[in-house]
Amino acid sequence: MRFLLFLFIVVPALEIGLFILAGKTIGGFTTIALIIATGILGAFFAKQQGMGVLRKMQEQMRSGYPPGEALIEGVCVLFGGLLLLIPGFITDLTGLLLILPPTRRMIQPVLLKIFKRWFSRKQIYIYR
C-alpha cells in the first residue's frame, strides 16, 4: 500500500514541481519540447533495446537454455520504455536507467531477488 501511495501521489507531485521549476528556469515552450523529445527518444531506445533482448531470447532458446536472464532484461526494457513515454523528468530518468544496458545489468540482480521473494512467499501464482 505504501508503494501505491508513493507511486500515485508523491511521484506526480514531484513531477509537477519539477515541471514548474523547469518552466521558470528554461521556459515553458522549451520544457514542453523537452518532454516531447524524451518521449520520442524513449520510444526509439525501447524499440532498439527490445529488439536486442528479443534476439537474445531467441538465441538462448535455440541453444536449449531457458531465457530467464533475457526475460528479466525484457521486463526492464518494457517498464523503462513505458516510463520514458510518461511525461516527467523523474520517470524519464528511471526509464533511462532501466533501458541502458550498463545500468540494466546492475538492476537485474535486485529484480531477480524481488521475484524470487515473491515466488517463495507465494505472492505470484502461475496457472497452467
Side-chain angles (χ1 to χ4, degrees):
M1 191 66 180
R2 285 184 235 155
F3 178 72
L4 290 176
L5 177 71
F6 179 77
L7 188 67
F8 290 117
I9 295 175
V10 176
V11 172
L14 290 172
E15 293 284 13
I16 291 169
L18 283 175
F19 285 150
I20 293 169
L21 181 65
K24 287 181 180 178
T25 306
I26 61 175
F29 180 74
T30 309
T31 302
I32 293 171
L34 188 60
I35 292 167
I36 293 170
T38 58
I40 292 170
L41 286 173
F44 172 75
F45 283 137
K47 180 181 177 185
Q48 180 186 25
Q49 292 297 315
M51 294 304 290
V53 168
L54 185 61
R55 280 192 294 276
K56 186 175 181 179
M57 287 172 65
Q58 290 173 341
E59 191 177 297
Q60 286 179 349
M61 287 173 35
R62 259 188 253 122
S63 300
Y65 295 107
E69 188 176 306
L71 282 174
I72 293 177
E73 280 190 54
V75 168
C76 288
V77 169
L78 174 68
F79 283 118
L82 288 173
L83 288 173
L84 282 168
L85 290 175
I86 295 171
F89 298 120
I90 296 170
T91 55
D92 287 345
L93 180 63
T94 307
L96 196 60
L97 291 174
L98 287 171
I99 283 191
L100 294 176
T103 54
R104 188 172 61 220
R105 281 188 217 105
M106 293 183 335
I107 294 171
Q108 282 176 344
V110 174
L111 288 177
L112 190 58
K113 284 182 184 179
I114 291 170
F115 290 149
K116 284 182 180 179
R117 190 177 328 132
W118 285 350
F119 281 116
S120 68
R121 291 183 182 171
K122 297 185 180 183
Q123 292 176 328
I124 294 179
Y125 298 100
I126 298 175
Y127 295 102
R128 295 180 186 190

